[in-house]
Amino acid sequence: MTRTLYSLFFTLCMPLILVRLLYRAWRAPAYAKRWSERFALGGDIRSEGIWVHAVSVGESIAAAPMVRELLRRYPQLPITITCMTPTGSAQIRKLFGGQVGHVYLPYDLPWLQRRLLRRLQPRVGIIMETELWPNLVAECERAGVPVVLANARLSERSANGYQRVSWLVRPMFAALDWVAVQSQAEALRFAALGVDKSAMTVTGSIKFDFRPPSELLAQAANLRAGWGSRPVWIAASTHAGEDEQILRAHQNLLRQLPDALLILVPRHPERFDSVARLVSDAGLGQVRRSQGGTPAATDAVLLGDTMGELVMLYACADVAFVGGSLVPNGGHNYLEPTALGLPVLSGPHRFNFVEISDLLQGAGALQVVADGRALEQAVLQLLNDARLREQAGNAGKAVVEANQGALELLLQGIGQRLQH
């Protein structure tokens, strides 16, 4: 009955959802395309195999090592990856090309999810992190499709939000066949929401198993070689309200280090142009990565306005600040710059990655700054002290290596479901 009310409410909201989609299409034209897929029509679907859902860019990147290994271990099983955003879609195509099928996940109405599953007929469904929808999970249960929640994470804030609608989500959580959860604290939160403890394994985060490809590192080395010996720091995955603080920090930093270069990478592509205007308004010379230019001596900022190059740009830097943390967005993946041996800085808002950030901070690999002024001081100290950078970078790499192995545990669990 509760899911019926949810579906009715979702149906009544569809006009508003479509208006929002039109607005997003106005902001980012890619949202104007492939609407039929959002109603479970069309798309590149490869049936009777493995279905993976990765909501957007971050989840697609996190899923990549798992998908590559599934392709290697089960070459007879086709893989289809669903997502929700054009940026996620572009990332999937960049990562896998035609190796996998790909389509947008439809809206969470029972008849749309049923249509998708009839077309997919998957042997197993793998949902990355916590992108759960009540009708999607219910229709998988109805169709006999085992659902794995991979690299599952659940912050205290998200858990509290789910508790407020527990009448709706408890059956959804209880229906999950297996949850490969990142930490014991998160396992307790999942259990409180209805996941059977016997259906959970604490595997750690598969993001610890990230290994940068050698060709990517070579590309970064070639790019960096063209910039001379100037000090470089990166502010990655930034959100609205952070860029202004970062640019002020860089302006002040330039008084001490006149040749310092900031690589500024906004989280969302629809903000690329507005952030470029912020850089110009700050009176800083810039070059846009999308235009392929090399920063001149007068350029203080390289704007990372391309998709799929974040790790390569991290590898060009001496110090990394991870965004979404000076504003209350909860932070982003700290492990990519850590695996590259960079000292990592974060703002105070880390609720999406509490366990990982605490682990890195305790090891001396991550430093938390309160605001833009503290960010400036921390960057200056690190750029001026090669030994300090090396110590923090080595500490981070040691943490990453000590916590690897989650991917193999995840693959073993998926393999068991494929055998049933």
Side-chain angles (χ1 to χ4, degrees), residues 105-355:
L105 188 76
Y107 293 118
D108 194 42
L109 293 169
W111 52 92
L112 298 183
Q113 303 294 16
R114 207 172 301 148
R115 181 188 294 162
L116 175 71
L117 291 171
R118 276 201 305 266
R119 297 177 66 204
L120 274 172
Q121 298 179 47
R123 296 265 301 274
V124 65
I126 305 166
I127 298 175
M128 295 302 298
E129 301 193 357
T130 323
E131 180 62 16
L132 294 169
W133 294 93
N135 282 320
L136 175 63
V137 174
E139 291 302 326
C140 284
E141 185 179 31
R142 184 172 179 267
V145 177
V147 176
V148 170
L149 194 61
N151 207 41
R153 61 186 178 93
L154 186 64
S155 69
E156 190 172 354
R157 173 186 282 197
S158 295
N160 290 338
Y162 278 124
Q163 287 288 3
R164 284 194 285 272
V165 288
S166 61
W167 53 271
L168 173 64
V169 300
R170 284 191 74 84
M172 175 183 73
F173 282 106
L176 297 173
D177 290 86
W178 185 52
V179 178
V181 66
Q182 293 189 25
S183 71
Q184 186 61 46
E186 287 163 309
L188 293 172
R189 293 177 198 136
F190 276 113
L193 286 167
V195 177
D196 193 312
K197 290 180 181 178
S198 65
M200 269 192 293
T201 305
V202 178
T203 59
S205 173
I206 63 172
K207 292 180 179 179
F208 283 107
D209 291 280
F210 167 73
R211 290 178 176 86
S214 55
E215 60 271 19
L216 181 147
L217 297 178
Q219 182 187 1
N222 289 335
L223 189 62
R224 176 70 191 259
W227 304 345
S229 59
R230 60 195 302 187
V232 180
W233 69 291
I234 183 170
S237 299
T238 61
H239 288 251
E242 287 185 308
D243 303 288
E244 297 87 345
Q245 298 181 65
I246 290 161
L247 290 170
R248 279 195 298 272
H250 192 54
Q251 286 173 314
N252 294 332
L253 187 70
L254 290 170
R255 298 192 183 103
Q256 305 289 327
L257 296 171
D259 60 340
L261 178 68
L262 164 65
I263 305 173
L264 182 57
V265 188
R267 176 72 175 177
H268 299 111
E270 58 265 30
R271 296 186 57 245
F272 288 161
D273 290 340
S274 62
V275 174
R277 287 192 292 273
L278 286 175
V279 177
S280 297
D281 292 345
L284 297 170
Q286 68 178 303
V287 62
R288 296 181 69 150
R289 173 64 185 156
S290 61
Q291 296 169 356
T294 297
T298 53
D299 289 321
V301 177
L302 170 62
L303 183 65
D305 60 344
T306 53
M307 294 302 300
E309 288 197 318
L310 179 57
V311 174
M312 190 274 293
L313 293 174
Y314 270 134
C316 292
D318 302 307
V319 175
F321 166 77
V322 178
S325 58
L326 283 176
V327 292
N329 281 85
H332 290 292
N333 183 6
Y334 298 105
L335 292 175
E336 287 173 342
T338 303
L340 291 163
L342 295 181
V344 179
L345 302 170
S346 170
H349 304 286
R350 302 171 290 151
F351 51 80
N352 287 334
F353 295 91
V354 172
E355 288 80 8

Side-chain angles (χ1 to χ4, degrees), residues 21-73:
L21 188 60
L22 281 169
Y23 172 73
R24 299 194 78 173
W26 174 67
R27 295 281 307 277
Y31 277 98
K33 301 174 182 177
R34 298 164 53 194
W35 278 31
S36 62
E37 294 179 23
R38 300 187 185 277
F39 295 89
L41 299 169
D44 178 11
I45 284 182
R46 305 183 189 184
S47 60
E48 299 183 29
I50 299 170
W51 160 52
V52 177
H53 178 60
V55 60
S56 192
V57 175
E59 293 79 9
S60 301
I61 293 171
M66 177 193 73
V67 172
R68 290 193 187 99
E69 193 60 22
L70 289 170
L71 287 166
R72 189 187 70 80
R73 294 188 186 193

